[in-house]
Amino acid sequence: MRKLLIKFGRGIFALTLIAVSVSESIAKVVPGSMVTDNMVLQQNGKACIYGSADPGEKVTVTPSWNNIPYQTKADKSGKWELSIDTPEGGFTPYTMTITDGSSITISNILIGEVWLASGQSNMEMPLKGFPGCCIENGYDEIASSRQQANRIRFYTVPLTQSYTPLDTINASWAVPSPETAPEFSAIAWNFAKRMIDVLDVPVGIVRCAYGGAKVESWTPREILETYPDVSLDPAEHEKMVHYHRPLLMYNAMFNPVKDYTYKGIIWYQGCSNVGAHDTYPERLANMVEHWRKEIGEGDIPFYCVEIAPYDYGSPDGKQWAPLLREAQWKATEIIPNSGIICTNDLVKPYERFNIHPADKATPGKRLAELALNKTYGKTQFPIISPRYKSHTFKDGAAWVAIDSPSDGICRNYMIEGFEIAGPDKVFHPADSVWLHWQTNEMVVSSKEVPNPVAVRYGWKDFLPGNLHAGNYLPLVPFRTDNWEP
């Protein structure tokens, strides 16, 4: 084991890079890393409780909500696990005793909904923000966080890498307070608050995110071995920037939390895969399929966030991020029980070179409403963003039909984000965009383009838009051409 110094923003942190895991003799029953005081267990089902003990030792788990003893034996390696029945969620705290002769009591347990929050830095980003990158109203949330002490619980997986799969991590469930909340994922915090407002049960969040990680970073060895462009040689990994390494976050961060029982997964990742749009949908689908298999709860929901506008400054001068966003939408079309929210409207002009937008409340709430609608049947919450439907060109303008929910389009002037091009394939910002009410078409034109042949919306690394449906969800970026970036 050795220390690796890693720079995040203006700070330098020590990261433990573990090459091998070392087995130690077990003197008595030990709960798994996630079985700690203050945890949240998934309601109305069977929750997995696990840990280690002497090989062959009988282990008994007795929860206070039903006082039923559940028993199992540790296997030859000392590992044990069992499923316990959980009641309907509520705000009454419970306890659980685990014994193999000597007893351990787990206290202040809540029953509710449990979600795994993963990806890269925009999911990792805490309420206190990153150096040089603030969270809008983050400290307001921190100041009032104690109000959520019996409603939200967070389990934050440390930033760790390993060449071999790990079973344990050094973390515990945290109760919200001004002392603990600064480290909570801002998006996941806002997701949890909106969920509780509607469902009226506690929410547990397991934040398992690593800034800059690629989808390959969260993918296991057996899948990565089928990718011809991925090296699994540790010597090659050492040459990489730490957050681009394949496999290592899967081993060190996902593997230790996979045995917990989850309702679903929220995911914000893709920035580090910009330029790899051709492979992204399949690779994300492969990762999700494997994660679901390891979690063992079937095709649990997988809801992700479209990467926000950001000027990547590609050395070749091309705009690759729109293709990655397009790939994200394609991924949700092939991943069962999945969905995605659009974020094209959630950045400010001054955030052009800030990959961490300050508004984390809105994407958190949009993710929650996606889950509330699709997973919990709360269909009063709209989740369908307006999409491009078709287009025609006439009278020197592009007439773009928008496939919008029944609430239609709620903006008909000062519309931003459209570009139009002629046969020279040079795009110019539209200087006139107006809504044709009778046909629900956007009429787009530019004095610079008398004979338009293509129209785009939000189709650049950084080109925020402001067109929304009546449900105030944003128009998804699109293009009518298939030209090179």
Side-chain angles (χ1 to χ4, degrees), residues 264-467:
I265 303 165
I266 54 175
W267 174 262
Y268 194 156
Q269 188 277 334
C271 300
S272 289
N273 284 91
V274 167
H277 48 275
D278 288 339
T279 60
Y280 189 81
E282 180 184 7
R283 292 187 181 186
L284 184 61
N286 290 342
M287 186 209 80
V288 172
E289 181 181 19
H290 182 85
W291 279 28
R292 287 170 167 170
K293 179 181 177 181
E294 290 295 290
I295 291 170
E297 295 293 324
D299 285 346
I300 59 174
F302 179 82
Y303 301 135
C304 57
V305 182
E306 176 192 272
I307 59 171
Y310 170 73
D311 194 334
Y312 287 85
S314 175
D316 59 13
K318 295 183 178 181
Q319 303 284 308
W320 296 107
L323 294 169
L324 195 283
R325 296 186 190 104
E326 184 179 58
Q328 290 181 297
W329 285 84
K330 289 178 179 177
T332 62
E333 293 172 2
I334 63 175
I335 297 172
N337 197 17
S338 67
I340 184 171
I341 62 165
C342 179
T343 61
N344 178 258
D345 60 327
L346 300 184
V347 299
K348 310 293 192 302
Y350 72 85
E351 294 181 311
R352 183 182 193 98
F353 299 105
N354 181 0
I355 204 166
H356 305 118
D359 183 358
K360 291 293 186 284
T362 307
K365 291 172 183 176
R366 285 180 183 171
L367 277 172
E369 289 167 6
L370 182 58
L372 288 166
N373 184 303
K374 292 192 65 174
T375 300
Y376 299 95
K378 307 296 183 181
T379 55
Q380 66 268 36
F381 292 99
I383 61 171
I384 302 175
S385 271
R387 303 287 299 270
Y388 161 82
K389 183 178 181 180
S390 62
H391 71 281
T392 58
F393 296 106
K394 58 183 177 181
D395 302 326
W399 289 61
V400 182
I402 303 297
D403 187 6
S404 181
S406 57
D407 292 331
I409 301 296
C410 73
R411 179 182 284 269
N412 61 1
Y413 63 98
M414 296 180 67
I415 297 170
E416 302 171 355
F418 280 95
E419 294 182 306
I420 196 163
D424 61 0
K425 300 184 179 181
V426 176
F427 280 89
H428 298 268
D431 51 35
S432 175
V433 183
W434 56 278
L435 175 63
H436 193 277
W437 289 100
Q438 288 82 359
T439 61
N440 210 36
E441 290 176 290
M442 306 307 302
V443 184
V444 184
S445 63
S446 169
K447 296 184 180 71
E448 303 293 327
V449 186
N451 298 303
V453 299
V455 61
R456 294 176 172 183
Y457 177 80
W459 199 266
K460 279 187 174 178
D461 287 359
F462 187 86
L463 185 57
N466 64 356
L467 187 62

Side-chain angles (χ1 to χ4, degrees), residues 146-166:
R146 205 183 306 275
Q147 299 174 16
Q148 306 295 334
N150 70 334
R151 294 157 58 87
I152 299 175
R153 302 288 168 79
F154 261 78
Y155 188 91
T156 301
V157 180
L159 302 182
T160 317
Q161 298 183 0
S162 175
Y163 289 112
T164 58
L166 303 183

Side-chain angles (χ1 to χ4, degrees), residues 130-157:
F130 288 143
C133 303
C134 59
I135 294 288
E136 185 176 355
N137 300 320
Y139 279 92
D140 291 338
E141 295 294 335
I142 291 168
S144 62
S145 60
R146 205 183 306 275
Q147 299 174 16
Q148 306 295 334
N150 70 334
R151 294 157 58 87
I152 299 175
R153 302 288 168 79
F154 261 78
Y155 188 91
T156 301
V157 180

